Amino acid sequence: MTTFDAAFTGGWIRRFAESVRATEPELTALDQRAGDGDFGVNLTTGLTTALRMLDGAAAGGEPRDASAPLLTTATAFLDSVGGTSGPLFGLLFQRLAGAVRDTGPGLTTSGLAAGTREGLAVIQRVGEARAGDKTLVDALAPAARALGACPPDTPPDTALARAAEGAWEGVRNSALLRARRGRASYLGDRVSGVPDPGAVGIGLLYASAGGGVRTLTPFLGDCRP
């Protein structure tokens, strides 16, 4: 039986890091078409810092609160990653940590739903992005809806799998959109058919709760780098 404690959320972050490392060439290829080409590197930087911090915390004794690894990851992204993606992912982890703490000490579906919803709201406020702008919001919004639709007693791993399904659908849909934010907004039809890299990062985050992702191909379908 799975225990949804700090070991689970810490493992989730470690699997997310593994997924990003495995798919970094694909993330870079996507971002070279739609952005500055540094998205994969920025995610890797934040997660490498987070893992180092998690290892340091583990040396002093594993935390029991499921929110602790999420808060550590938020700090890593907010303090060590530049560009647009670092602060936005940092804010998402920060809101997830707060909501999980408030509903903890174990991870709950209601905490995940609240944290994702609050993360979406702050990202939209800070980034001034809306659904349809071809940003990570186009994956995070359906992930938030999927979590919000789960009954409170849904096991968190089941809820996270549903969030991942929603996020990947949003990723594929983002390929059909015309960018209205960031560098991609200046490229017009040249990024037609290209999913937003930030949205792909959200898909990787929620999918990694259930296991590492080795390649983006099964999730992107015809929308490939």
Side-chain angles (χ1 to χ4, degrees), residues 32 36 139 146 149 188-189 195 209 212 216 218:
Q32 285 172 338
D36 296 326
D189 292 338
L216 298 177

Side-chain angles (χ1 to χ4, degrees), residues 125-148:
R125 185 169 67 250
V126 171
E128 299 182 340
R130 298 175 297 175
D133 282 348
K134 197 168 182 146
T135 70
L136 63 82
V137 166
D138 291 299
L140 188 57
R145 287 196 296 272
L147 285 166

Side-chain angles (χ1 to χ4, degrees), residues 20-21 23-29 31 37-47 85 197:
V20 169
R21 281 196 296 268
T23 61
E24 184 178 335
E26 295 169 277
L27 290 170
T28 297
D31 202 35
D38 60 356
F39 178 68
V41 172
N42 285 342
L43 272 188
T44 299
T45 298
L47 287 164
S85 59

